[in-house]
Structure formats: C-alpha cells, structure tokens
Amino acid sequence: MSAGHNHSHTPPNFGRAFAIGVGLNLGFVLAEALVGWRVGSLALIADAGHNLSDVGGLILAWAGLAASRLRASDRRTYGWRRASILASVANAVILLVVMGSIAWEAVHRLRTASPIEGGVVMLVAGIGVIVNAVTAWMFMAGSRSDLNLRGAYLHMAADALVSVGVVLSGALYVWQGWTWIDPVVTLLIVVVIAAGSWSLFRQSLHLLFDGVPEGIDVPAVRALLLAMPGVTRVHDLHVWAMSTSDVALSVHVVADAAAAPPANLLQAVTIALHDRFGIEHTTVQIEADVDGRECATGACVQCDPA
C-alpha cells in the first residue's frame, strides 16, 4: 500500500481586512440605526439590522478562519479546520432569522405607512454604499477559493446594493411623496438577501455533512484516474471538505502488475488531481492487480466480482 499526502498551504491572512470591516460596519450600524429611528425610516432600520448581522457574521467568519489555522494534535488530527464551515452555517442562519423579523415589521408598516425624511435617508444610505463596497472589495480575492470568505464578500456586496436601493427609495419619496415606498423597498431588500443567505446556508450545510465541494465532479475524477496508464480499477473514492477552502480525497487505485512502479503512479495521481481539480490533500492506496487479485502491503485478496 502506498499513501500520498499533499497538505495545503495556510490560506492568506485576512485578519486585517476583518478588523477594518468590523470597525467600519459597526460604526455605520450605530449611526444608521439612530438616524433611521429619528426620521422614522424602516428601510434604514432594516439596513442597519442587516448590517449588524453582518458585523456578527464577519466576526464569526474571522473566528472560523482563526480556528482553522490552529495546529493539528493527536486528539484533533485535522485541527479545527471545520470551524470555518460551522461559521458559514451560523452566518446563514442568523441572516435568515434577521430578515424574517424585518419582513414581518415591513408588512405591518405597509398598513400604517408614515412620512420619512427622504433627504436624510438618501445621505445615510449613500454613506452605507461606500462603507459596504470598501469592505466587500477587501474580501474579493479570497472569495474565489474560500466559502467562508465568499460569505463575507457576498454579504458586503449585497449590502452595498441594498444601500443603493434605500437611496432610490428616499429619492422616490422626495419626488412623489409615496409613504408606502419605504416598506416596499424593505421587502425587496429582504427577498434579495434571503435568496443569497439560503444559497450560502445550503452550500455550507452540504459541506458540513461531508458533501462533495462545489466545482469537484466525482465522475470526472474517476474518469481521470481510470485514464492513467496501468490503472485497471478505482474504488473507495471519497471527496470531502476539510474546511471552506481545503478539499481532501482518498481513493484505492488498482494497477496492472506489469505497469510502472507504484511510486511513479502514486506521484502521477497526486499531481493530476492537484492540477485538474485543485485537490491539495490526497490519500492514495495503490493495489497491484495480479491475475484478478488485488495486492496491497504484500497481502493478496480475491477481487470482489462486483
């Protein structure tokens, strides 16, 4: 039996981005909620509530990233990498709960719509566009390869768009005097954010239960291995997420006894999986196929006809 391990490098440190993002958004949340309460704008309060949940989400994502960097031990051989997946699940649940409560209040406000100060709403929301856009930009690079960072990025990018919507609602109120525009925009905000939050929840929960990470096609992995010279069969193929950025794979590869030495095949398999699918952590067992028998570590067992 031969086993190959290719451990992924530690992901880039986004600690500074998290610190700046939490500070900027927390300050803005306090200001936006206060102004929204003073001028009677539910759209501003809804946006502040969502931004507050995002501050909590950023802290959760930050904690998950920090935990995933803790060293492995004899008791936790994978370390705390799965903490980033748990942070993503918690993030999505918090967002869905917050949006549900805001939607409930918006429906109530539709029946009892009240005037707002459109100019103030536009000013505060405009500041929110800048704050959220800057925060989203800081996580853009990491969002391409880490679901935890992608959650932070999508939340901030959505917030920027939501703030644009609040600016538009303020402008429409100033222009037409529509008192119902504020709760209507609030409901639209809730729908957009809830859709993104549900997608994040679904993906995170999938990874939590060892689902195959997005972007990894198991039949394509199997086909790649079977196409390699000397490989006759592949079995016990498993692909799962160790964290929101690390993918692991284990597989038994049965090779023709007359093929290249197992060490060469092992290296070829590891490199192919890395180059084609970006799988960094691989465990491969090479078994020799001798007259219909699979041999590993010097012991041969009769092949399963199935």
Side-chain angles (χ1 to χ4, degrees):
M1 177 180 68
S2 301
H5 300 274
N6 186 5
H7 298 275
S8 62
H9 298 289
T10 303
N13 189 354
F14 282 83
R16 184 178 180 183
F18 276 114
I20 294 173
V22 168
L24 281 175
N25 282 273
L26 187 58
F28 178 68
V29 162
L30 295 175
E32 187 176 34
L34 178 61
V35 173
W37 174 69
R38 292 290 297 273
V39 303
S41 171
L42 182 60
L44 279 182
I45 295 175
D47 195 31
H50 176 239
N51 279 321
L52 180 60
S53 71
D54 276 347
V55 170
L58 285 175
I59 293 174
L60 275 173
W62 192 0
L65 184 65
S68 69
R69 292 172 176 274
L70 296 177
R71 292 181 178 275
S73 67
D74 290 339
R75 294 195 63 188
R76 294 181 176 87
T77 55
Y78 275 139
W80 293 81
R81 297 188 182 190
R82 189 153 292 225
S84 60
I85 300 177
L86 290 172
S88 296
V89 174
N91 239 328
V93 170
I94 290 172
L95 277 169
L96 289 170
V97 171
V98 170
M99 288 302 103
S101 63
I102 290 175
W104 179 270
E105 180 62 23
V107 171
H108 175 72
R109 282 288 187 97
L110 274 174
R111 302 171 183 172
T112 58
S114 57
I116 61 172
E117 296 185 26
V120 177
V121 171
M122 292 171 63
L123 175 62
V124 175
I127 297 173
V129 173
I130 298 173
V131 170
N132 291 316
V134 169
T135 307
W137 173 78
M138 291 190 295
F139 294 105
M140 183 181 295
S143 68
R144 300 188 181 97
S145 58
D146 190 314
L147 185 62
N148 191 31
L149 294 177
R150 189 187 308 171
Y153 166 73
L154 289 176
H155 285 190
M156 294 299 104
D159 280 350
L161 293 177
V162 164
S163 295
V164 170
V166 176
V167 171
L168 292 176
S169 72
L172 287 171
Y173 177 79
V174 171
W175 178 37
Q176 295 289 344
W178 294 332
T179 56
W180 51 264
I181 193 66
D182 188 72
V184 167
V185 169
T186 301
L187 288 173
L188 291 175
I189 289 171
V190 167
V191 170
V192 171
I193 297 172
S197 300
W198 178 255
S199 176
L200 178 65
F201 175 73
R202 181 180 54 80
Q203 292 181 53
S204 301
L205 198 64
H206 177 71
L207 295 185
L208 186 63
F209 288 95
D210 290 329
V212 178
E214 188 174 339
I216 303 294
D217 183 359
V218 172
V221 171
R222 187 178 291 108
L224 173 69
L225 296 174
L226 288 173
M228 302 192 72
V231 175
T232 59
R233 287 184 300 282
V234 171
H235 64 94
D236 289 323
L237 172 60
H238 303 284
V239 185
W240 71 98
M242 298 170 63
S243 72
T244 51
S245 60
D246 298 318
V247 179
L249 175 147
S250 66
V251 65
H252 289 218
V253 175
V254 183
D256 192 327
N264 293 342
L265 180 59
L266 174 63
Q267 182 180 23
V269 167
T270 303
I271 292 174
L273 290 172
H274 175 271
D275 292 347
R276 173 78 180 275
F277 299 100
I279 300 175
E280 297 281 355
H281 187 107
T282 57
T283 301
V284 181
Q285 177 171 310
I286 303 296
E287 300 171 345
D289 187 353
V290 181
D291 298 328
R293 294 177 297 169
E294 297 173 7
C295 304
T297 62
C300 296
V301 296
Q302 187 68 36
C303 294
D304 186 348

